[in-house]
Amino acid sequence: MNVRFTATCMSVALLTLFFSCSLDYGREESTEETVPEFIFLGAHLVRVEAKKRTMQVDADKMEQYKTDGSTYARNASFKTFDNNEMLDTEGSCGLVALDIHNERYRLYDGIAISIVSQEMKLFAETLQFNGRTEQLTSGRDDTVSVERKNAVVSGKGFSASGVSRSFQFLSEVSGSADVDDAEENVTADGKTADEATASAGGAGAESAAGGAENGI
């Protein structure tokens, strides 16, 4: 795996030199955790595997830390590519934390993601993605909105699997869909409000067991 950076780099050598002069070694150790080793402005990061581009991140500012190898990108836009280097996913957010070695990514603030191959869009404030398991999740109490074709569904406790191509919410699911130019309120399983009310008795137990689920 290769990772390439193209950026305007600000050296933090002077900061490192300043803190290393301290006789308080406890403070020196903590400095490595709180002060970035490198700062990149106008950053462009490309991840390459088997000579194929798999991911691209552009950011106004990118900070890289020495202790755990983590990278933080502010005002970031990103793209992922399939095995044929065709665009699979693209999006943007206010802040993204990248653990490239473990393929874990945390997104924050005004997240907008478009899954091109599935014609689906996601909107949220916090999300986590595990590249090894292809799992995208939110916090239990975080609201996520999903738009697909003529339907919009929102809920809390979102999770999606790139393997099974399905997603689900744990609670507070609601939505709407345009059907024959007439908008109806729908639940996550595609029922209208009237149909959902009629079957509420049995649906309560099912929702408690596994939440609302849909295919991607």
Side-chain angles (χ1 to χ4, degrees):
M1 178 187 74
N2 296 321
V3 178
R4 300 196 300 265
F5 281 99
T6 303
T8 301
C9 179
M10 289 179 58
S11 172
V12 293
L14 290 178
L15 287 175
T16 304
L17 177 62
F18 174 80
F19 284 106
S20 65
C21 290
S22 172
L23 296 177
D24 185 348
Y25 292 101
R27 178 176 296 179
E28 182 181 351
E29 293 177 357
S30 65
T31 298
E32 291 188 352
E33 299 178 359
T34 59
V35 175
E37 183 179 20
F38 297 105
I39 299 176
F40 302 93
L41 302 179
H44 177 73
L45 179 152
V46 177
R47 178 178 176 181
V48 177
E49 294 183 9
K51 299 182 179 180
K52 292 184 178 181
R53 180 178 53 171
T54 61
M55 183 183 69
Q56 174 180 312
V57 178
D58 294 279
D60 289 348
K61 182 179 181 180
M62 192 174 290
E63 299 176 352
Q64 192 172 50
Y65 291 80
K66 181 178 180 180
T67 52
D68 57 2
S70 61
T71 301
Y72 296 86
R74 297 186 181 278
N75 298 325
S77 61
F78 49 87
K79 297 178 180 179
T80 63
F81 304 89
D82 61 20
N83 292 331
N84 296 317
E85 294 192 80
M86 298 296 292
L87 181 63
D88 184 51
T89 304
E90 63 180 339
S92 61
C93 62
L95 174 67
V96 58
L98 303 94
D99 182 349
I100 296 176
H101 177 72
N102 294 309
E103 298 185 44
R104 292 180 178 271
Y105 311 95
R106 292 172 290 157
L107 291 75
Y108 305 93
D109 301 336
I111 304 165
I113 300 175
S114 175
I115 304 175
V116 178
S117 59
Q118 303 300 323
E119 298 182 358
M120 186 169 70
K121 295 181 179 180
L122 305 177
F123 301 93
E125 290 302 314
T126 59
L127 286 173
Q128 297 185 46
F129 179 69
N130 187 321
R132 294 181 177 176
T133 61
E134 297 187 34
Q135 292 285 325
L136 181 67
T137 59
S138 74
R140 179 177 291 270
D141 297 321
D142 296 329
T143 299
V144 176
S145 296
V146 179
E147 294 184 5
R148 187 180 183 190
K149 297 180 180 179
N150 62 343
V152 180
V153 181
S154 298
K156 293 185 176 182
F158 172 84
S159 63
S161 170
V163 177
S164 64
R165 295 184 178 275
S166 64
F167 69 89
Q168 68 174 8
F169 294 96
L170 294 179
S171 63
E172 298 187 29
V173 184
S174 63
S176 62
D178 292 326
V179 181
D180 295 331
D181 298 327
E183 186 175 280
E184 295 185 81
N185 290 328
V186 297
T187 60
D189 57 6
K191 294 180 179 180
T192 65
D194 292 339
E195 291 172 335
T197 301
S199 60
E206 181 180 354
S207 177
E213 184 171 352
N214 251 302
I216 293 181

